[in-house]
Amino acid sequence: MGRTSLSVVFAGSGGSGAMTAGQLFLQAAAAAGYYGIMTQLFGAQVRGGESAALVQVSTEPVESPPDRYELFVAIDWEKIDQFAPEIPLDDGSIVICDPAAGQVPAAIAKSKARVLTVSFDDPAVTRLERALRGRRANVCAAALVATLIGLPSRHLDSALIKLLGKKSAEVFEANKRALKYGAQLAKTLPVTLALDDAAPGERWFISGNRAAALGALRGGVRFVGCYPITPATDLVEWLAPHIRELGGNLVLAEDELAAINMVLGASYGGIPAMTVTAGPGLSLMTEAIGLGVAAEIPAVIIDVMRAGPSTGIASKTEQSDLNIAIYGSHGDAPRIVLAPTSIGDCAYTTEWAVGLAETIQTPVLVLSDQAMGQASGAIPAPTRRPSPGKRRTETKAGEPFKRYAIGSDPNTPMPRPGTEGCEWVAEGLTHNEAGLPVSAAAAHAAQINKRAKKLAQIDPGADWGECWGDGDTAIITFGSGVAPAREAAIRRNKAGQATRVIALRLLSPLPRKALRDALEGTRRVVVLEQNHTGQLLQYLRANDAVPASTESMARPGPLPFRPAEILSRLIEERA
Amino acid sequence: MNLAVAEAQGCALKAKDFSSGAHPIWCPGCGDFGVLAALERALALLGRPPHEVVLVSGIGCSSRLPGYMNCYGFHGVHGRALATATGLKLARPDLEVIALGGDGDGFSIGGNHFIHTCRRNVDMLYIVMDNRVYGMTKGQPSPTTESDWDSELIPGGSRLPPFNPVAMAVTAGATFVARGYSGDPQGLAELIVAGSKWPGFAFVEVLSPCVTFRPEEFEWKRKVRHDGVLVENDRGAAVSAALSDDGFSLGILFRGKGPRVDHQPPTTTLAAIEEQFLLPSPDMA
């Protein structure tokens, strides 16, 4: 048996092509049948900052960040000090670099990783050609690593066509030469990193953000109002042409206030609608989310979380928007909050969000995060779909229509404008059953109760979340915490320390019964979340949903949780 | 179009078909009563039945209007009526969408949306009932209030130059700009009909006095003049006219060109879109 996985970093200054190197390598590995993911490490600068592509390829599905990187390929050493502390290397790691780029910096050398030197510059290419057409060290580096794991060159060729096929013939030829040279270089290195054959299975190449966009389309979203914000922009960039191809609209709004209100307008018109944002945008949207709650307008809001508060770290991950997602808005404004449990599950959860929004006629927030949203790769095909949800629109002829009627079913019909005889006003003021503004205590209580009842009646069935294993230690987590928690649990189970992982897909309203069942037989419960205050644990405690002895494993982002960190904290906390 | 002639020809719909019968919260003498009457008349003349009309408003006295009419409505949050209306119209181009509200709602808290809605040129009408005061909160200066208007909050006046809605709309790219007066429901109804029929974004500023906090606005009936000059296409000339005008000339003041908003039918299927994600099995590659 050989090697089953490889973790590799392609690093360089912004503009060095490190991301392209990562994508090229990953696409080639995916074409050869492997699973894999790539996450991106960026600085705040648009150009010229630090950048690193963090890639894992494996014979089995892989989503957890690795404990350490086995291979570090330096396309150049500029800006390395800015991110070296965030890339774990050790004396078992290998660094591949070009002596022409200078000495190995201390920040990397101190890991005691083995250093292998190569020249990324093909001696067959003249200096003039290099000056004219660029170095292509990144393409060379990708080919080098691909060849080291044993990928046939045809997969590199096909990946190159996919990624850079639209460049001019001259540039493409230069890239092909760099590819060939990189493959030759690999044969000169005294290492072999050949991977075993991949396990068969239907695979998709997708990112979390694209999966969420696809889920929205699957759910029937045909209107999107949005404003650009990192790390959510690539979601709408993918969505824009496709929603139009399906006859829908995507509008670039003037700000997030407009985006969410456009969504409410479109949804009032009967078209499932969505907006996509990150923390600062969500803060701006909270007033209108309250309107969606009060006026009972379906809406999906995806928050690709990043480090906060305020502008925080725009390009890096955190899970600190849980409080604003669940509670943000004045007044009693309960809403639905979901979190995907994996990259592929972004499609499932977002499709479910659309169905829930339409059925319950209320805003539904989907808490993704940068680590999950901007991770892309070859994953098991997300073919499972939630059962669809539709909004009620039917009305009884002959009776005066009351949009906000109090009766046995709190989900009252919401006829589309254009339906004769049902003219109604979506109303954010406290209103009576007909929707007319009133300020009487009884009507206020009646409508608050109606809306609370809608949420209380939700039966998520098996969609509430996932529970893996039946160990007496349980890790409760959500979003991008799930993958490393599962990897940590697998290792503990192998060591005889039976551990289960509980991933909450439905965060609000809290599925108390399902969670209670999932915790059955546990003796130790820890809550893993990426924020400073322990927002999830506080929420679970407020709902009396976890034992008093529950431990917090909370820390802020932006560094991802790694399995080894979870394992060591499980030991520390106990001690 | 002459309303009297149209009514004599026997329109199928009457103004009262658009009345909900609810009693407005407005003070006796409020200009907004005139706007309500003009709107009901205009919609009857326009000929779209009540269930095909949606009124979208923000917050403030005038924004309560959708509740007083018999048609679909959306009474949203403060300042966002144009965004809501834009989303609705783009999603449902078959509907007659009319956004409305006051000067604080439209030009202060919603000022950014006003600018960008003018640019976007989505086919809908926006009626601003401008009384140059925040009435619902009992008398604070709004963006259109005269700089020396004395109030409890800002004694002696804000000393800020008043916002010029017509000049701003033309500058921002609006393609139809008009000014009406609530004391002239017939003339206002004609502007509303013309704005509704305009194939793009139509903005009608309505001088609508607040008799409670700005009783001096009673005098507007003596100040307004039906002498607005229509400028076609020349934005520079229209802005210049708007800036030199005293703000009381009525009529259609500008018509120009803007982007067309097209609605595309579907050209593919979701299954075809999903195919891009499927990795071929390695033997096939």
Side-chain angles (χ1 to χ4, degrees):
Chain A
M1 244 183 64
R3 169 180 282 278
T4 58
S5 68
L6 177 77
S7 53
V8 54
V9 178
F10 296 92
S13 52
S16 67
M19 294 304 167
T20 304
Q23 282 166 358
L24 195 55
F25 168 64
L26 179 58
Q27 295 261 14
Y34 293 105
Y35 295 89
I37 63 164
M38 168 172 151
T39 54
Q40 309 176 15
L41 193 58
F42 276 125
Q45 300 93 329
V46 174
R47 287 273 184 268
E50 70 272 24
S51 73
L54 314 176
V55 188
Q56 295 174 85
V57 291
S58 173
T59 57
E60 300 285 338
V62 57
E63 198 161 322
S64 168
D67 291 334
R68 50 184 280 275
Y69 286 90
E70 295 161 286
L71 194 57
F72 183 100
V73 184
I75 296 166
D76 63 48
W77 288 120
E78 285 171 48
K79 318 271 182 180
I80 183 68
D81 290 342
Q82 290 179 28
F83 58 86
E86 302 186 7
I87 298 173
L89 301 172
D90 61 25
D91 57 5
S93 307
I94 297 170
V95 171
I96 296 177
C97 56
D98 187 339
Q103 274 204 323
V104 178
I108 295 295
K110 73 177 183 193
S111 68
K112 302 205 167 57
R114 179 180 173 195
V115 176
L116 301 175
T117 57
V118 293
S119 171
F120 287 128
D121 292 326
D122 183 352
V125 176
T126 65
R127 282 180 63 180
L128 178 66
E129 279 177 301
R130 253 200 295 287
L132 286 173
R133 297 195 195 107
R135 285 185 66 211
R136 324 240 165 253
N138 61 333
V139 174
C140 175
L144 188 160
V145 179
T147 310
L148 282 179
I149 68 164
L151 294 187
S153 62
R154 68 176 195 278
H155 295 311
L156 271 169
D157 292 342
S158 72
L160 189 70
I161 290 169
K162 212 168 183 177
L163 277 175
L164 302 170
K166 285 180 184 153
K167 305 259 180 188
S168 72
E170 202 180 357
V171 170
F172 187 74
E173 276 313 306
N175 278 322
K176 271 198 90 161
R177 271 168 77 174
L179 212 63
K180 216 168 162 188
Y181 174 66
Q184 287 165 8
L185 273 185
K187 294 181 180 122
T188 69
L189 291 178
V191 283
T192 155
L193 302 168
L195 284 189
D196 285 349
D197 286 343
E202 191 170 273
R203 296 162 309 128
W204 277 24
F205 197 97
I206 199 166
S207 69
N209 277 348
R210 288 182 181 192
L214 177 65
L217 292 178
R218 283 178 164 184
V221 165
R222 292 296 180 270
F223 183 91
V224 170
C226 60
Y227 186 76
I229 187 166
T230 305
T233 312
D234 50 286
L235 195 164
V236 286
E237 280 179 337
W238 180 83
L239 190 54
H242 296 305
I243 197 170
R244 289 178 190 132
E245 284 163 11
L246 293 172
N249 272 290
L250 184 142
V251 186
L252 178 60
E254 53 270 31
D255 54 30
E256 286 92 347
L257 304 166
I260 181 71
N261 283 285
M262 284 178 182
V263 163
L264 293 177
S267 177
Y268 171 80
I271 306 298
M274 175 175 85
T275 186
V276 182
T277 191
L282 183 62
S283 288
L284 287 179
M285 291 178 185
T286 51
E287 185 193 21
I289 291 172
L291 170 63
V293 171
E296 303 191 41
I297 311 290
V300 173
I301 299 120
I302 298 182
D303 173 14
V304 187
M305 292 185 284
R306 66 192 220 186
S310 189
T311 315
I313 311 173
S315 58
K316 292 183 179 180
T317 201
E318 198 164 77
Q319 295 180 307
S320 47
D321 294 350
L322 187 68
N323 281 345
I324 188 177
I326 295 176
Y327 304 113
S329 267
H330 56 279
D332 290 310
R335 80 294 302 265
I336 299 170
V337 182
L338 310 180
T341 60
S342 66
I343 294 171
D345 190 67
C346 287
Y348 188 93
T349 295
T350 309
E351 183 176 3
W352 189 38
V354 183
L356 279 174
E358 294 293 313
T359 317
I360 312 298
Q361 300 170 20
T362 204
V364 177
L365 285 98
V366 178
L367 282 183
S368 179
D369 53 53
Q370 186 272 335
M372 175 180 272
Q374 293 195 319
S376 61
I379 61 166
T383 44
R384 210 167 64 92
R385 308 249 318 243
S387 46
K390 262 190 97 157
R391 80 173 71 163
R392 284 185 70 189
T393 54
E394 86 292 350
T395 54
K396 283 186 194 148
E399 285 178 28
F401 175 66
K402 288 182 176 173
R403 165 70 181 107
Y404 301 106
I406 304 296
S408 55
D409 187 349
N411 296 305
T412 45
M414 182 183 176
R416 282 160 59 99
T419 310
E420 199 173 345
C422 296
E423 293 81 1
W424 61 279
V425 178
E427 184 55 79
L429 282 165
T430 288
H431 42 263
N432 62 17
E433 292 182 74
L436 290 173
V438 290
S439 52
H444 188 56
Q447 293 297 324
I448 284 177
N449 286 333
K450 174 185 190 287
R451 299 191 293 260
K453 203 170 149 192
K454 291 197 300 182
L455 265 65
Q457 281 186 359
I458 294 173
D459 176 8
D463 286 333
W464 68 273
E466 313 267 354
C467 182
W468 295 275
D470 56 3
D472 58 11
T473 294
I475 304 172
I476 301 176
T477 189
F478 71 109
S480 64
V482 176
R486 287 188 67 190
E487 177 60 27
I490 287 168
R491 294 189 206 169
R492 278 174 63 91
N493 288 334
K494 276 184 190 156
Q497 299 158 311
T499 303
R500 73 182 80 172
V501 173
I502 299 168
L504 286 164
R505 184 183 288 110
L506 177 60
L507 288 162
S508 172
L510 189 66
R512 294 176 57 174
K513 186 178 177 310
L515 185 55
R516 199 165 52 235
D517 292 347
L519 286 169
E520 183 78 38
T522 50
R523 297 202 308 183
R524 183 183 183 198
V525 180
V526 297
V527 174
L528 178 76
E529 55 186 314
Q530 202 181 41
N531 59 69
H532 179 71
T533 40
Q535 297 178 13
L536 178 58
L537 178 55
Q538 287 183 8
Y539 173 63
L540 295 173
R541 283 200 201 289
N543 279 276
D544 203 13
V546 288
S549 60
T550 300
E551 301 158 38
S552 177
M553 201 181 283
R555 66 153 171 80
L559 295 183
F561 282 112
R562 300 187 188 281
E565 178 188 358
I566 297 170
L567 291 173
S568 73
R569 286 184 68 165
L570 278 172
I571 294 164
E572 278 168 35
E573 305 274 334
R574 178 106 295 189
Chain B
M1 185 186 305
N2 187 308
L3 282 182
V5 173
E7 277 165 8
Q9 286 168 349
C11 287
L13 288 159
K14 301 277 179 265
K16 67 172 170 28
D17 294 332
F18 289 90
S19 173
S20 76
H23 187 73
I25 56 158
W26 301 325
C27 306
C30 175
D32 296 348
F33 283 104
V35 181
L36 179 61
L39 192 55
E40 289 173 357
R41 244 195 251 193
L43 287 172
L45 192 70
L46 204 61
R48 300 286 306 262
H51 63 271
E52 292 178 6
V53 178
V54 188
L55 303 179
V56 182
S57 67
I59 294 297
C61 298
S62 55
S63 286
R64 298 292 286 261
L65 193 144
Y68 309 139
M69 288 189 63
N70 175 41
C71 56
Y72 281 88
F74 193 117
H75 187 198
V77 289
H78 196 19
R80 317 294 166 219
L82 284 175
T84 308
T86 297
L88 174 61
K89 182 66 187 184
L90 290 174
R92 290 288 308 278
D94 57 309
L95 298 171
E96 184 68 39
V97 176
I98 301 173
L100 44 87
D103 41 303
D105 191 72
F107 306 141
S108 191
I109 189 168
N112 194 33
H113 309 308
F114 180 60
I115 293 169
H116 295 284
T117 308
C118 288
R119 292 178 58 220
R120 217 174 259 123
N121 201 35
V122 172
D123 181 16
M124 58 188 189
L125 173 68
Y126 183 38
I127 299 170
V128 173
M129 287 159 258
D130 187 355
N131 57 13
R132 303 184 184 176
V133 72
Y134 288 96
M136 192 158 263
T137 49
K138 299 187 168 51
Q140 297 78 37
S142 86
T144 48
T145 303
E146 299 79 350
S147 61
D148 60 351
W149 185 71
D150 193 54
S151 65
E152 272 187 54
L153 195 64
I154 310 183
S158 68
R159 296 193 293 275
L160 302 178
F163 183 93
N164 187 318
V166 169
M168 180 59 79
V170 175
T171 306
T175 56
F176 179 106
V177 181
R179 186 185 293 121
Y181 173 51
S182 63
D184 171 28
Q186 171 131 334
L188 180 55
E190 286 172 14
L191 292 178
I192 291 171
V193 169
S196 297
K197 288 184 171 172
W198 179 254
F201 179 65
F203 166 57
V204 180
E205 185 203 14
V206 183
L207 301 171
S208 182
C210 173
V211 296
T212 302
F213 298 104
R214 303 292 312 266
E216 67 277 19
E217 290 176 352
F218 267 126
E219 291 306 306
W220 282 2
K221 63 184 171 202
R222 267 180 279 280
K223 288 186 174 174
V224 295
R225 303 177 310 275
H226 288 273
D227 67 350
V229 176
L230 170 62
V231 178
E232 302 257 17
N233 296 321
D234 186 342
R235 290 187 186 273
V239 170
S240 180
L243 291 176
S244 55
D245 184 54
D246 65 357
F248 290 97
S249 54
L250 308 180
I252 301 174
L253 304 174
F254 178 74
R255 281 194 307 220
K257 294 184 179 68
R260 262 175 60 107
V261 181
D262 290 322
H263 301 278
Q264 304 290 348
T267 56
T268 189
T269 63
L270 192 52
I273 290 171
E274 291 189 6
E275 270 174 27
Q276 67 182 274
F277 296 121
L278 184 64
L279 282 165
S281 84
D283 320 324
M284 311 284 288

